[in-house]
Amino acid sequence: MAQRHLDPTDPTAAAGPPPVPAGGDALADYLRAQATEFLRALRLHRESGAGAHGNGASGAHPSGAGALDRGRGRGPAPAPDGPVDAARALRRAARRLSGTLHTFQPLLDAEWAEAMRPELAWLSGTLALEHAYASRLDRLLQALHRLSGSAAFPAQQQAGRAAPARAAATADPAPVAPLAPSVTRPSPADRGNLTVGAAKAGALLDRQLTLARTRAHSTALQALGSSRFHAVADKVALLASEVPLKDTAAAAADLRPLAAAARDRLTDAVAALPLVTAGNPYNAQALVHGLSPDPAPHPQDAQWHQVRLLLRLHRYALEVLAGTDAEDADGADGADGTTDVRLLAAGEALDRHRDASEAAAAAAQAARTPRIAPATAYALGVLHADQRHEVEAARYAFQHSWRKEPIRL
């Protein structure tokens, strides 16, 4: 796609004539709509009678065999989507309320907004933890299966499996998933070590991440039953009927300057990223810390995570201007009610970046477990390198989408 001579970081460039200014009434309508969605999701969640996500940790496999089966797609039947969808909708509404209060706080009652925004952020973050751990485990197990390149692991790694499960494993004709183009297969000499260690690495990851998921589930249940949550729900119920604007002049205020400020913060954060380096398919400079014994997060990841948050705030501001309730499917609505495909692709790339970086950190943390076998440590090291390559691939995809001409649909 051809590059533009105009500012490529302006998602509203060449979007046609400027829209009609959106005032405080549009902000109030958007906040009321999100508060209504919050209450609807809360009612659905309570009617489902399930925990924070409805699937909890009850479906987790206590053995490494179960972990490997999930990596090959042979786990237990998935739980109904109703409770999961209700929890997702609850997080979605809380995120949008918190982000909108942050962007348009000058038009709202300052004391109310300052007290409300961190509570909504706490709620959405708490409810997201269990899903994050479950997705991270699935991602790592699938990567282990893909990297090992074998549908059946050695018999000595299946000792903990019951006889019926062992028979099912040997009879499974499922084809081996092909490697991604950006991943290099281990040499034949290393293939055996990776296959031997993958089963124990999967069992270790399953134990650690299932424990973390169980704790997150308990934390979410406690949060939903706490007085702190009930206070937040009461305030959201009031917000669904009355939005505390700063004054009567705020109802007629133009929202575009505040939305433009959110866009400028995103543009400045993107400008600080090493996009020239991220423009290379293989960024060796970003991998030099991969073998560091320092357990701190990767030094480059924080900037990219901040850009992801700012992009989300920018999308929410565009939704307010458009007066629409876009899906959390990561669409981005422009001020003229159209979808900016560039923001859509950039958001997806940053989501993949976040998932891969957190999965790499989990693999590194598991590799620091004392007294693990060398083959297990080797498999975890290969897994960590694979996820860091996924991080670089996501950065490459982001810079490609961000520098291209905005497309309106």
Side-chain angles (χ1 to χ4, degrees):
M1 186 177 298
Q3 299 287 336
R4 305 189 57 178
H5 294 292
L6 299 177
D7 181 7
T9 61
D10 184 3
T12 60
V20 178
D25 291 338
L27 172 62
D29 291 342
Y30 183 82
L31 290 175
R32 281 194 291 265
Q34 293 304 322
T36 302
E37 288 296 324
F38 182 96
L39 298 176
R40 182 181 295 113
L42 180 59
R43 182 177 66 252
L44 179 61
H45 189 274
R46 288 174 174 172
E47 290 175 354
S48 69
H53 295 283
N55 50 7
S58 58
H61 293 270
S63 67
L68 295 174
D69 282 348
R70 273 192 290 172
R72 291 192 286 268
R74 295 203 310 271
D81 291 338
V84 179
D85 291 340
R88 184 182 297 113
L90 196 62
R91 298 196 311 266
R92 171 182 178 270
R95 284 200 310 265
R96 276 172 162 74
L97 285 172
S98 177
T100 304
L101 295 183
H102 175 80
T103 301
F104 299 101
Q105 183 172 344
L107 300 181
L108 301 167
D109 180 81
E111 183 178 354
W112 175 84
E114 283 290 345
M116 188 71 170
R117 184 167 57 86
E119 295 301 293
L120 290 168
W122 159 77
L123 177 61
S124 62
T126 302
L127 295 180
L129 283 178
E130 181 185 356
H131 173 73
Y133 284 123
S135 299
R136 195 172 307 157
L137 178 59
D138 288 340
R139 180 186 184 91
L140 289 171
L141 293 181
Q142 290 174 8
L144 269 177
H145 173 60
R146 169 172 53 84
L147 292 169
S148 64
S150 175
F153 288 93
Q156 61 268 26
Q157 302 299 335
Q158 309 291 337
R161 180 177 299 192
R166 184 163 53 246
T170 56
D172 183 12
V176 179
L179 288 176
S182 60
V183 177
T184 303
R185 287 180 178 270
S187 63
D190 294 337
R191 173 69 68 185
N193 290 335
L194 181 58
T195 303
V196 169
K200 290 186 177 180
L204 178 60
L205 290 169
D206 184 67
R207 288 194 299 270
Q208 292 185 350
L209 292 179
T210 299
L211 176 60
R213 180 185 175 186
T214 302
R215 291 173 176 172
H217 182 77
S218 300
T219 301
L221 289 178
Q222 293 174 1
L224 291 175
S226 65
S227 59
R228 183 179 182 181
F229 170 75
H230 289 297
V232 174
D234 291 342
K235 292 180 180 179
V236 173
L238 294 176
L239 180 62
S241 59
E242 181 180 358
V243 177
L245 296 175
K246 186 175 183 180
D247 48 39
T248 55
D254 189 358
L255 301 181
R256 290 181 298 177
L258 295 175
R263 183 198 63 204
D264 293 341
R265 288 191 292 269
L266 170 63
T267 302
D268 294 341
V270 172
L273 292 176
L275 286 187
V276 175
T277 305
N280 299 319
Y282 180 79
N283 178 11
Q285 181 182 357
L287 299 176
V288 296
H289 299 279
L291 298 179
S292 172
D294 186 4
H298 197 280
Q300 287 190 4
D301 289 348
Q303 287 180 287
W304 292 86
H305 295 336
Q306 180 66 16
V307 169
R308 177 178 173 272
L309 295 178
L310 293 175
L311 178 61
R312 175 172 286 177
L313 292 178
H314 174 53
R315 284 175 40 209
Y316 296 165
L318 293 180
E319 290 179 10
V320 175
L321 295 183
T324 60
D325 186 15
E327 291 294 331
D328 196 36
D330 310 332
D333 286 353
D336 56 353
T338 59
T339 299
D340 190 337
V341 180
R342 191 188 61 149
L343 291 184
L344 171 65
E348 290 176 347
L350 291 175
D351 287 341
R352 294 198 305 270
H353 176 275
R354 187 272 314 268
D355 294 341
S357 65
E358 292 181 348
Q365 180 65 31
R368 297 185 182 96
T369 303
R371 297 184 299 277
I372 59 176
T376 305
Y378 173 74
L380 291 170
V382 173
L383 181 61
H384 174 267
D386 172 74
Q387 294 303 303
R388 290 310 306 182
H389 279 287
E390 292 290 337
V391 167
E392 294 308 313
R395 294 178 181 179
Y396 181 70
F398 172 81
Q399 73 88 25
H400 254 277
S401 61
W402 185 259
R403 291 182 178 276
K404 287 183 177 179
E405 177 180 359
I407 300 176
R408 301 283 174 170
L409 296 182

